Amino acid sequence: MPLKLAIVGRPNVGKSTLFNRLAGKKLAIVDDQPGVTRDRRYASGSLGDLELELIDTAGFEDVDDSSLEARMRAQTEAAIEEADVSLFVFDSREGVTALDEVFAAILRKRDKPVIVAANKAEGKAGEAGAGEAFRLGLGEPIPISGEHGEGMAELYAALLAFEPQVEAGDDEDDDSKPIRIAIIGRPNAGKSTLVNRLLGEDRLLTGPEAGITRDSISVDWEWDGRKIRLVDTAGLRRKAKVQDKLEKLSTADTIRAITFAEVVLLVMDATHPFEIQDLQIADLAEREGRAVVFVLAKWDLIEDQAAHLTAFREHAERMLPQLRGAPVVALSGETGKGIGHLMPAVIKTHRDWSTKVKTRDLNDWLQMAMQRHPPPAVSGRRVKPKYMAQTKARPPTFVLFSSRADQMPDHYRRYLINSLRESFDLPGVPLRITIKSGANPYADGEAKGHSGRGKREFERREREEERIRASRNTVKKSKRLAAEAAAKAAEAAGLPDPGKVAVKPVKKKGPAVAKAAPSEAAGVSEPGKAAVKSVKAKGPRAQKKVATTPSYKVGTKTAGGKAAAPRRPAAGSRTVRGNTGPGRPKGR
């Protein structure tokens, strides 16, 4: 069981920074200007092995009227009553102020343990201010730094004394995850009032002022035995109007809440719904893949309610076709009228958002949709869808295998999505269809403009490579079998294995210089024969061939030389077959 710790103090002393430090991530909005935090914010954190349930509160103001500061003070007092331990934080660089003394007096009257923390105590600047906390009468202060993480060991030792005892049965965790619902809309549309009506208590700050909510406040709730996590967000204005740094941080926090939500409640003022900003917010939720429920707040201000609701639904179908069939709930957060229709619509939309469709049903529907409206022909060639399957849910995502997938028109894709939503009863759920085409092994042949010939050439190459591989394997196998047979025969005859005996090649030793012929030794050469050159005996491959061509067949070259190239016939002459002998004319 975690220790519930409320972080309290006057404005701008570093409560949200310490809250983010203990939570381990940046949840609360932090800025230099005071009064950023207004509502109580809850988060799970830890300090060493000590589990904590943290509560970030608004800065304490000494006012008691109907102003916004007085309502913020009421939220802080409710957090003190709920927590097990209060961590009173003050600025050690400024020292103890009069507002700190007023707040300390209020804490002393409560029957709750209090720990004093002197924040911003890094360096020597905060040493003097930390000592001033003794006069508050709340015990010894602990110098810490929420920004740099100093003093966390001393804070752990102080909190360890208030660690709750674990009872039997408390360690049983429920694995069921809550349904995350984000309430979004324009400023002053009635979002916080709707959350308070659902919870049955004033959990969030409300009022006539626009832009009261700054942080995205999550509240755990249970409805009809199911866990629900409601996330109240800051109002979203048009991007051109957002200039303040704090408003930019609030907008980023709201967009992050939409990203992590499962169902989005788009709250609109019923007196002027579906303005441009409402359409943009709905389109953002659809692009993020979240289930959307339209909520018409302040319904008690509408006179002709039936006609107004019909006109609203027609307008929603026309302006947001990608969310066709999304449920519309008209209610009043102030009076509670129509509030009972909201959660059943949310549960049904969440069930549709988590739908998984069987592959067989998808392909039967695909054939029916193609028969009703065949795919168009692009550049004279028709796109042919072949197979469809669902890859994941939340949101439902499908993949369609088709020929020429990159040329599928967008209007036919929209037709498939609308038909899918209508056939499987998925109103208001964003659907995703990815169109792919299978790998084509003959793509190279088609690219050259001869798909049939490319296919036959591909098959012919495959057969030729297979034949070559089989032939090589046959030769290797024949050699291996012959070697094995020779080894067996040698073993039977008692001879050594011929494959293992190394045979030393015998070199023939020839004369260094060839002997001359008798006629050459006498100095007389035989006419018509080429002279024989003396060569060294270097083996049969290295030895040059001796020219033995008669001299009358080599032209005018010397004996043993190369034959002369044939002369080209003279212009106007005609070559006669047979006139190629020596001394005969080449033409006439």
Side-chain angles (χ1 to χ4, degrees), residues 80-142:
I80 295 173
E81 291 293 335
E82 185 181 357
D84 298 329
V85 181
S86 296
L87 182 61
F88 178 46
V89 182
F90 73 98
D91 191 346
S92 62
R93 300 196 175 190
E94 295 183 5
V96 176
T97 62
L99 189 57
D100 291 329
E101 294 179 354
V102 172
F103 196 19
I106 295 176
L107 291 176
R108 283 196 301 269
K109 297 177 183 179
R110 307 276 178 169
D111 190 15
K112 295 284 185 178
V114 179
I115 298 176
V116 182
N119 196 22
K120 306 180 184 179
E122 64 274 10
K124 297 182 179 180
E127 293 181 358
E132 297 179 5
F134 285 98
R135 68 183 186 184
L136 296 176
L138 296 174
E140 182 181 357
I142 302 174

Side-chain angles (χ1 to χ4, degrees), residues 20 47 55 64 120 139 216 246 268 279 286 295 334 355 514 528 534 550 567:
N20 292 338
L47 187 58
I55 307 176
D64 191 7
K120 306 180 184 179
S216 295
L246 193 57
M268 293 172 284
L279 297 176
E286 192 275 335
V295 178
E334 186 70 24
T355 298
S534 301
R567 292 181 297 175

Side-chain angles (χ1 to χ4, degrees), residues 222-542:
E222 188 171 339
W223 179 84
D224 198 17
R226 301 198 61 171
K227 291 186 176 182
I228 307 294
R229 178 168 294 170
L230 301 173
V231 182
D232 185 27
T233 62
L236 292 175
R237 295 201 303 165
R238 295 178 61 182
K239 188 175 181 180
K241 294 184 177 180
V242 178
Q243 301 294 337
D244 186 33
K245 174 186 176 182
L246 193 57
E247 189 173 1
K248 291 181 180 179
L249 295 175
S250 300
T251 301
D253 204 16
T254 301
I255 295 175
R256 184 177 62 179
I258 296 174
T259 304
F260 288 98
E262 297 177 355
V263 181
V264 170
L265 301 183
L266 178 55
V267 181
M268 293 172 284
D269 193 343
T271 57
H272 44 278
F274 267 143
E275 294 189 353
I276 296 178
Q277 184 63 9
D278 294 327
L279 297 176
Q280 292 178 351
I281 295 174
D283 183 66
L284 173 63
E286 192 275 335
R287 284 188 280 110
E288 290 291 339
R290 308 299 159 220
V292 179
V293 177
F294 296 125
V295 178
L296 291 177
K298 305 179 184 179
W299 191 245
D300 53 332
L301 303 179
I302 303 300
E303 297 180 358
D304 191 2
Q305 297 181 352
H308 192 81
L309 185 60
T310 303
F312 177 84
R313 286 175 175 166
E314 294 177 355
H315 190 66
E317 294 279 343
R318 183 175 65 257
M319 299 301 295
L320 293 170
Q322 65 270 32
L323 293 173
R324 183 171 299 168
V328 179
V329 180
L331 51 84
S332 173
E334 186 70 24
T335 62
K337 181 180 179 180
I339 200 72
H341 302 288
L342 178 60
M343 290 309 299
V346 169
I347 297 300
K348 182 183 181 305
T349 305
H350 183 268
R351 189 185 307 115
D352 296 340
W353 186 66
S354 307
T355 298
K356 293 183 179 180
V357 185
K358 295 181 179 179
T359 304
R360 179 177 179 180
D361 297 341
L362 273 177
N363 287 277
D364 292 344
W365 163 83
L366 179 62
Q367 298 300 324
M368 180 199 67
M370 291 173 56
Q371 291 176 5
R372 184 188 304 171
H373 185 186
V378 180
S379 301
R381 300 176 64 184
R382 188 172 297 279
V383 179
K384 299 178 182 179
K386 300 176 182 179
Y387 177 78
M388 192 173 186
Q390 183 175 1
T391 56
K392 73 180 190 70
R394 299 185 174 189
T397 304
F398 307 90
V399 58
L400 174 63
F401 293 93
S402 171
S403 64
R404 309 177 68 208
D406 55 338
Q407 299 184 11
M408 175 78 74
D410 291 338
H411 65 84
Y412 196 76
R413 185 197 298 263
R414 291 193 297 269
Y415 159 72
L416 293 177
I417 291 176
N418 293 331
S419 178
L420 187 66
R421 179 180 287 116
E422 180 182 356
S423 300
F424 293 99
D425 191 20
L426 301 173
V429 176
L431 302 179
R432 303 285 187 264
I433 293 183
T434 303
I435 302 177
K436 295 183 179 181
S437 58
N440 187 2
Y442 314 117
D444 296 340
E446 291 182 357
K448 296 177 181 178
H450 43 75
S451 60
R453 194 166 58 182
K455 179 179 179 180
R456 291 192 296 271
E457 181 65 20
F458 177 80
E459 294 175 349
R460 187 192 65 79
R461 289 198 302 265
E462 288 290 327
R463 290 195 300 269
E464 183 67 19
E465 291 178 1
E466 184 65 26
R467 186 189 64 80
I468 292 174
R469 284 194 297 267
S471 177
R472 289 176 179 173
N473 293 337
T474 303
V475 172
K476 291 180 180 178
K477 185 176 180 180
S478 300
K479 290 182 178 181
R480 187 175 65 255
L481 293 176
E484 292 177 357
K488 290 181 180 180
E491 183 180 359
L495 299 175
D497 189 355
K500 297 182 179 180
V501 177
V503 180
K504 187 176 182 179
V506 180
K507 295 183 179 180
K508 295 181 180 180
K509 296 182 180 180
V513 180
K515 295 182 179 181
S519 58
E520 292 180 353
V524 180
S525 61
E526 185 180 355
K529 295 291 184 177
V532 180
K533 294 183 178 180
S534 301
V535 295
K536 294 182 179 180
K538 296 182 180 180
R541 293 186 179 180

